[in-house]
Amino acid sequence: MTAPPQSPQECAVPLVEVEITEELDLARLSEVAVVLDRVLALHPREVTIDLAECRHVDAAAIALLLDVHRRMARRRATLTVRNPNPRIQRILETARLGETVPIVHTPRPPRPVASEPTSGAPVGGAASEPTSGPPARGRARVATPR
């Protein structure tokens, strides 16, 4: 006897943005996958992966993006890829990623000023109760330690 299908969990945060600032390739895939697993544990309604500063993607990275898309689609959530440079855009087009995952080109949101307070749960942390004011936004930055 099989258990009835579970309903998708409620979204804990409306949007999490992840900036990839280095290559998104097999060498860094495990690190990025850990970050994305933690992001998905927040049950976001939408995840945007910003590739504006990313210099390279490979087939393993595209497979990871498709996996994240599938996991989110099961919860009726959305993955969007934002601002790939022209070379990466061609790679994504060749792989036909845009047929499954929306690829958008938009101005990047302004970075918070250091003295500005930020709200929202840290990546991997528990979501806080909703508060009045703007919705909580998360940001994960994946970069190689120097």
Side-chain angles (χ1 to χ4, degrees):
M1 181 160 136
T2 60
Q6 295 180 352
S7 63
Q9 288 187 310
E10 188 64 32
C11 295
V13 294
L15 171 66
V16 176
E17 296 178 339
V18 179
E19 291 180 3
I20 306 295
T21 59
E22 302 286 334
E23 290 86 0
L24 182 55
D25 57 13
L26 187 58
R28 290 185 177 85
L29 205 60
S30 62
E31 178 185 0
V32 174
V34 167
V35 170
L36 291 174
D37 284 344
R38 293 179 73 192
V39 164
L40 293 181
L42 296 172
H43 302 288
R45 196 172 305 127
E46 180 180 356
V47 172
T48 298
I49 298 181
D50 190 307
L51 297 178
E53 295 181 35
C54 182
R55 297 184 301 239
H56 176 71
V57 297
D58 65 8
I62 292 168
L64 176 66
L65 293 173
L66 287 170
D67 179 60
V68 169
H69 163 75
R70 284 185 207 104
R71 291 166 61 189
M72 293 188 68
R74 284 187 210 122
R75 292 195 316 248
R76 295 183 183 95
T78 306
L79 172 68
T80 302
V81 172
R82 180 174 63 205
N83 297 334
N85 67 43
R87 188 170 88 61
I88 290 177
Q89 177 73 36
R90 284 191 300 277
I91 293 169
L92 299 178
E93 286 171 0
T94 300
R96 296 181 159 183
L97 184 73
E99 293 177 10
T100 308
V101 178
I103 300 172
V104 299
H105 296 274
T106 61
R108 296 182 68 200
R111 295 200 184 276
V113 177
S115 62
E116 251 182 57
T118 59
S119 64
V123 173
S128 59
E129 290 297 316
T131 60
S132 62
R137 293 175 58 135
R139 183 171 299 278
R141 188 173 189 106
V142 179
T144 304
R146 297 192 194 260

